[in-house]
Amino acid sequence: MPVKPKPAYPDTLAGWIAPERTAVLVVDMQVDFASPEGVLGQAGLDMSVTAPAVGAATRLVDAARAAGTPVIFVGLATTPATDSPVWGEWRRRRDGEDSGGAICRAGAPGSAFVGPTPQPGETVIWKLRYSGFFGTSLDAALRARGIDTVIVCGLTTECCVDCSVRDAFHLDYFVYVPTDACAAYDPGIHESALQSLALNCATLVSTDEICAAWAE
């Protein structure tokens, strides 16, 4: 079968993230990771640090929809049967006990998306590990749309965002990370994670820059 030629794009941000070649991935913006009512909030983590990222991600998703850019939601959905014994043992060796607890249980309130939420017809990918690509149909869903570029936002910068970005790069996607639409519970860790991604596999941008490019 002949390969369909790619359209010519301008060598600018607007061309690099043109809607017909790009998808926005919203990673793990869920109650247990972002809300005071969730597991981590109830455990004492300050959820106020996630609020600006949730707000920026909402603006990003709104702009993507207006531009015709696909939005894909990636969330964690665990069950006791799929819990990793290695993860629990790693926590025990590090902390002296498996203090992780059940998080984002499938179908429970903690797994619900917060901020931007899926609209009818939008793709939702449920995962069991940090990366949105590991053991999921995310790569196939992107390939089916002819996507070669992803914009990755979500929680947390150093964990599930980082792992998803690196896997996307390993799968030969161009990756953009809107720095203000991601967050970690420690701002220093957030900044360090972004620096590492910028050094190795991603282009850092702001939500405003992306929205302006789509409005051109």
Side-chain angles (χ1 to χ4, degrees):
M1 177 180 294
V3 177
K4 181 180 179 181
K6 289 186 177 295
Y9 296 104
D11 192 20
T12 63
L13 181 60
W16 299 332
I17 62 168
E20 61 268 23
R21 70 185 303 183
T22 303
V24 173
L25 307 183
V26 182
V27 177
D28 288 10
M29 283 199 161
Q30 296 167 273
V31 169
D32 277 348
F33 295 123
S35 172
E37 291 75 34
V39 166
L40 296 183
Q42 291 299 305
L45 286 181
D46 180 9
M47 293 293 107
S48 67
V49 299
T50 68
V54 171
T58 301
R59 290 196 295 113
L60 176 67
V61 168
D62 287 345
R65 289 168 176 158
T69 303
V71 180
I72 296 178
F73 289 82
V74 180
L76 182 67
T78 67
T79 68
T82 61
D83 287 345
S84 168
V86 171
W87 192 86
E89 175 62 8
W90 165 69
R91 292 289 299 232
R92 187 195 67 80
R93 294 181 185 186
R94 191 188 72 174
D95 302 333
E97 61 177 341
D98 178 3
S99 57
I103 193 165
C104 289
R105 287 305 198 202
S111 67
F113 291 102
V114 297
T117 55
Q119 290 187 347
E122 289 182 332
T123 301
V124 178
I125 302 289
W126 296 107
K127 63 186 177 71
L128 294 170
R129 298 295 185 265
Y130 294 152
S131 171
F133 290 91
F134 184 83
T136 74
S137 61
L138 178 55
D139 182 43
L142 293 169
R143 302 288 181 197
R145 291 176 176 262
I147 298 299
D148 70 1
T149 301
V150 291
I151 297 169
V152 184
C153 66
L155 305 172
T156 58
T157 316
E158 85 289 357
C159 190
C160 296
V161 170
D162 178 279
C163 290
S164 298
V165 165
R166 292 180 191 275
D167 277 357
F169 184 76
H170 295 157
L171 290 165
D172 289 331
Y173 291 95
F174 300 106
V175 188
Y176 290 81
V177 177
T179 59
D180 54 337
C182 304
Y185 304 115
D186 180 327
I189 291 175
H190 168 72
E191 292 298 331
S192 294
L194 291 174
Q195 290 173 15
S196 178
L197 291 175
L199 181 65
N200 293 294
C201 54
T203 301
L204 305 187
V205 289
S206 69
T207 297
D208 284 345
E209 288 176 307
I210 294 171
C211 294
W214 280 334
E216 289 183 10

